[in-house]
């Protein structure tokens, strides 16, 4: 069953803590993306990666970090520098970074601050 | 001005009605256009790509107007199951081959009996 798997589904962060959200895909897609969605808001791009060992900042990268050591995996770390981390985090992938390529989404992780 | 704008709604329509949403975009260099459907507390799922000549998939019709910089989605014979938020997404190539997908905030549709 091909798809994008995000874990955990729900995550709680304490003040000053770094947390890592997992995103794995078995679609053999080159490009992967992280978005944040706040209530009543559209999706905002945090980071994206078009190829292994390379990634670029999106529109709201501050307080976040990523790595792309394997094609299948694109974990997102929400650092303590992100002061308002409560949101719905969505990972997506596409065959490549070409504009025609459709992005497919994982089921998301809901992050809350304790 | 936002890069991609949608009327947030909600659009409340009776079952069987025809409803249309528009989505405007500000960057004339935009190259690809999509409609996604998002159910409450779920991930967005692709509904359809939008082609220059317009395209239809069953009860859904998407159109692109490059001159006025908007895309539209028409839903005919609305079903209760069509109730969801519809997000438009616009792709602009930047920095060589890299492309970014920018989403609107979504239009909420509620179909009622």
């Amino acid at each position: 069953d091909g798809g994008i798997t995000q874990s955990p589904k729900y995550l709680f962060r304490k003040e000053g803590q770094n947390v890592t959200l997992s995103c794995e895909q078995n679609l053999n897609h080159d490009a992967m993306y992280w978005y944040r969605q706040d209530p009543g808001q559209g999706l905002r791009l945090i980071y994206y990666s078009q190829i292994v060992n390379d990634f670029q900042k999106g529109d709201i990268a501050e307080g976040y970090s990523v790595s792309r050591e394997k094609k299948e995996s694109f974990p997102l770390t929400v650092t303590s520098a992100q002061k308002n981390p409560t949101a719905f985090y969505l990972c997506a992938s596409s065959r490549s970074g070409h504009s025609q390529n459709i992005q497919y989404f994982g089921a998301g992780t809901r992050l809350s601050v304790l | 001005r936002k890069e991609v704008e949608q009327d947030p709604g909600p659009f409340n329509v009776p079952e069987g009605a025809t409803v249309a949403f528009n989505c405007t975009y500000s960057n004339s260099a935009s190259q690809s256009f999509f409609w996604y459907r998002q159910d409450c507390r779920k991930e967005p799922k692709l509904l359809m790509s939008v082609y220059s000549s317009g395209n239809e998939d069953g009860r859904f019709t998407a159109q692109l107007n490059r001159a006025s910089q908007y895309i539209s989605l028409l839903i005919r014979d609305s079903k209760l199951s069509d109730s969801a938020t519809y997000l438009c997404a616009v792709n602009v190539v930047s920095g060589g081959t890299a492309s970014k997908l920018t989403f609107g905030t979504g239009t909420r549709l509620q179909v009622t009996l």
Side-chain angles (χ1 to χ4, degrees):
Chain A
D1 221 0
I4 303 167
T5 302
Q6 289 188 243
S7 62
K9 192 170 181 179
Y10 300 96
L11 185 59
F12 298 91
R13 192 191 91 166
K14 294 180 182 177
E15 293 284 344
Q17 187 181 38
N18 292 354
V19 291
T20 297
L21 284 59
S22 169
C23 179
E24 303 275 332
Q25 54 96 0
N26 60 6
L27 300 168
N28 200 32
H29 283 174
D30 285 319
M32 297 185 75
Y33 312 81
W34 273 106
Y35 294 90
R36 167 183 173 140
Q37 187 176 35
D38 294 278
Q41 304 277 326
L43 280 68
R44 291 185 290 168
L45 184 64
I46 305 173
Y47 268 99
Y48 63 104
S49 167
Q50 294 193 95
I51 197 167
V52 175
N53 292 323
D54 188 43
F55 48 83
Q56 288 80 38
K57 291 182 179 180
D59 300 317
I60 54 163
E62 187 173 347
Y64 301 97
S65 66
V66 293
S67 63
R68 187 87 188 275
E69 297 175 2
K70 297 187 300 181
K71 187 175 183 177
E72 304 79 24
S73 179
F74 192 40
L76 173 75
T77 296
V78 183
T79 75
S80 56
Q82 172 50 246
K83 298 306 178 190
N84 184 22
T86 297
F88 188 35
Y89 289 86
L90 289 156
C91 177
S93 71
S94 63
R95 193 152 47 90
S96 76
H98 189 278
S99 66
Q100 296 293 336
N101 284 312
I102 295 163
Q103 292 186 20
Y104 298 93
F105 288 85
T109 293
R110 292 196 178 273
L111 175 62
S112 301
V113 177
L114 288 174
Chain B
R1 184 184 171 186
K2 287 184 181 176
E3 287 187 64
V4 179
E5 289 198 75
Q6 294 182 255
D7 181 340
F11 283 54
N12 293 302
V13 302
E15 211 174 10
T18 295
V19 61
F21 313 133
N22 280 348
C23 167
T24 59
Y25 60 94
S26 60
N27 192 330
S28 59
S30 300
Q31 297 186 320
S32 303
F33 309 88
F34 307 92
W35 283 104
Y36 281 81
R37 170 192 169 128
Q38 186 173 27
D39 291 294
C40 190
R41 300 180 69 82
K42 299 284 189 182
E43 76 275 22
K45 292 186 178 175
L46 180 73
L47 181 65
M48 56 200 304
S49 302
V50 186
Y51 302 121
S52 298
S53 54
N55 47 302
E56 191 174 305
D57 182 2
R59 298 182 292 109
F60 300 85
T61 300
Q63 293 194 310
L64 166 64
N65 185 318
R66 282 195 184 273
S68 300
Q69 294 184 200
Y70 73 87
I71 62 172
S72 64
L73 178 67
L74 181 81
I75 305 175
R76 289 182 299 278
D77 188 23
S78 300
K79 311 290 184 193
L80 292 173
S81 57
D82 293 333
S83 298
T85 297
Y86 292 84
L87 306 172
C88 67
V90 176
N91 205 319
V92 179
V93 174
S94 62
T97 59
S99 66
K100 286 175 50 177
L101 200 60
T102 301
F103 286 82
T105 54
T107 297
R108 195 155 71 86
L109 171 66
Q110 184 66 52
V111 181
T112 57
L113 285 171

